[in-house]
Amino acid sequence: MRVEVVRHEGCPLAAAALDLVRECVHELGIDGVVMELVARYPSPTVLVDGRDVMGVPGDDTPIEACRLDVPTRERVTDALRSASLQDG
């Protein structure tokens, strides 16, 4: 399973999102590393196996902007559980 937190430089929400994802991975007992990527992308975005945990973004245009739909604990854990079932 590939878990990534994508952010743009200076995103004030990125650190909290990264902590949340690491907590969820730990709580679910998932082995693996949470990757942190800096890119021109709505920030913070959590990707599990390439899928945005908040759903499909409306536009693929590269942009450095803060997300209004910040990833939630429920969405992150649901995505991790789903990916674990597919891997297992």
Side-chain angles (χ1 to χ4, degrees), residues 4-18:
E4 302 164 303
V5 176
V6 185
R7 64 174 182 84
H8 64 74
E9 282 293 335
C11 174
L13 306 172
L18 185 59

Side-chain angles (χ1 to χ4, degrees), residues 61-81:
T61 304
I63 186 169
E64 288 184 12
C66 292
R67 289 186 75 131
L68 297 177
D69 60 340
V70 178
T72 64
R73 179 175 297 276
E74 181 180 17
R75 290 287 190 100
V76 172
T77 56
D78 286 351
L80 291 169
R81 283 186 184 118

Side-chain angles (χ1 to χ4, degrees), residues 1-32:
M1 174 186 323
R2 190 175 76 243
V3 182
E4 302 164 303
V5 176
V6 185
R7 64 174 182 84
H8 64 74
E9 282 293 335
C11 174
L13 306 172
L18 185 59
D19 288 344
L20 171 69
V21 172
R22 287 180 174 152
E23 288 171 13
C24 292
V25 165
H26 177 73
E27 288 170 8
L28 295 173
I30 296 171
D31 290 329

